[in-house]
Amino acid sequence: MLKRVLTIAGSDSGGGAGIQADIKTISAIGCYAASAVTAITAQNTMGVAAVEPLSTEIVERQIRAVLDDIGADAVKIGMLGTAEIVCTVAALIREYRPPFVVLDPVLVATSGDVLTGGSAAEAIASELMPLATVVTPNIPEAERLTGLSIGSEADYEPVWEAFRGRGARALLLKGGHLDGNTLIDSLFTTRELRPHSYPHPRIETRNTHGTGCTLSSALASYLALGYPLHRAAELATEYVHRAIDAGRELRIGEGHGPVDHFFRSR
């Protein structure tokens, strides 16, 4: 039986991020992808032209439709858009109690366009963070959620303490926005004193659209497949690195293009 992963996130008309990237990733790793769309975005590789959140009613009905029939071995939560949607999703997570919840606090697109802000960002921290198996922010998102500045790996520990103080059980901090030839993603958990580090060489490419969505979906997929968190994080970061490497020469759009989610089949 295929392991089932439900992604709750926004739709990307350009196909490189959001629900589209999630479904590609989950399928490529060998799980069954179900989805609940929270917002419609008009975007491409150049940026985000418009965002229209859906009603809380249709978001809730999508999630219930999936979980009441298909079920989920893991849930990935991405862009939510409004505080009302955040609270709706949090209430459903409390009700259905899926085995694993990967929270990607999507606040800003690769292009720099703001996708989530204000009260919604605060609601993510207060309502969803304590429910998540692991939270997967990038550097700007972690800075926004904690108020701390991150200039190097030396700043990771206080950031983890800030997340833990807000109820997080585990944090996979993505280092792609830092300088250097080696990028290091670090996993902190309440069960271990030392973090797990996953270094990869920097790949020179502009095709990085949707890497955060891809990583969180990969992590949810590997957790659904039964891997322990530290191993699932290792496999997920490796999958993203290889997808970036395989897609470095792709020419899709004029801006930040997508990674190659199906590199294993080529």
Side-chain angles (χ1 to χ4, degrees):
M1 180 177 178
L2 285 174
K3 294 297 183 179
R4 307 148 300 173
V5 179
L6 167 62
T7 169
I8 304 171
S11 174
D12 171 11
S13 55
I19 286 282
Q20 286 82 346
D22 295 341
I23 292 174
K24 293 174 188 178
T25 301
I26 295 163
S27 301
I29 290 173
C31 296
Y32 179 83
S35 64
V37 180
T38 59
I40 305 297
T41 70
Q43 64 175 298
N44 52 30
T45 65
M46 301 296 290
V48 181
V51 177
E52 185 169 323
L54 299 184
S55 70
T56 56
E57 179 183 1
I58 192 60
V59 171
E60 177 177 351
R61 293 189 70 172
Q62 289 177 87
I63 295 170
R64 288 192 184 279
V66 172
L67 295 181
D68 286 343
D69 175 37
I70 298 169
D73 298 292
V75 172
K76 172 262 170 81
I77 301 173
M79 175 192 171
L80 298 177
T82 69
E84 291 77 16
I85 292 177
V86 173
C87 293
T88 296
V89 172
L92 291 167
I93 294 297
R94 292 188 189 96
E95 178 180 344
Y96 284 93
R97 298 182 179 274
F100 301 103
V101 176
V102 177
L103 173 61
D104 183 16
V106 178
L107 305 180
V108 180
T110 301
S111 61
D113 295 296
V114 176
L115 294 172
T116 304
S119 60
E122 178 57 34
I124 289 171
S126 62
E127 297 294 325
L128 278 174
M129 198 179 296
L131 302 177
T133 305
V134 57
V135 188
T136 65
N138 58 30
I139 297 297
E141 289 161 348
E143 290 179 328
R144 174 78 175 276
L145 290 168
T146 64
L148 300 173
S149 178
I150 305 172
S152 70
E153 277 187 87
D155 300 317
Y156 283 11
E157 187 69 36
V159 169
W160 160 234
E161 291 301 327
F163 271 91
R164 185 165 70 171
R166 303 198 71 167
R169 289 178 281 166
L171 171 73
L172 179 59
L173 187 55
K174 301 173 288 192
H177 285 79
L178 296 180
D179 296 328
N181 294 324
T182 300
L183 306 181
I184 300 178
D185 300 325
S186 294
L187 174 68
F188 296 83
T189 77
T190 55
R191 295 184 176 184
E192 298 175 279
L193 295 177
R194 296 181 180 180
H196 294 267
S197 294
Y198 310 106
H200 293 99
R202 182 183 295 277
I203 298 171
E204 294 301 327
T205 178
R206 65 178 183 174
N207 295 335
T208 57
H209 185 48
T211 49
C213 304
T214 299
L215 176 61
S216 54
S217 294
L219 181 52
S221 298
Y222 285 119
L223 287 170
L225 288 169
Y227 291 94
L229 179 56
H230 71 278
R231 177 61 174 153
E234 180 181 21
L235 291 168
T237 55
E238 178 65 21
Y239 171 83
V240 174
H241 177 75
R242 293 183 63 189
I244 294 172
D245 187 43
R248 70 167 84 186
E249 301 300 332
L250 290 177
R251 289 293 178 264
I252 299 176
E254 299 299 320
H256 294 285
V259 302
D260 185 356
H261 294 91
F262 295 105
F263 63 89
R264 289 171 174 167
S265 63
R266 302 193 197 287

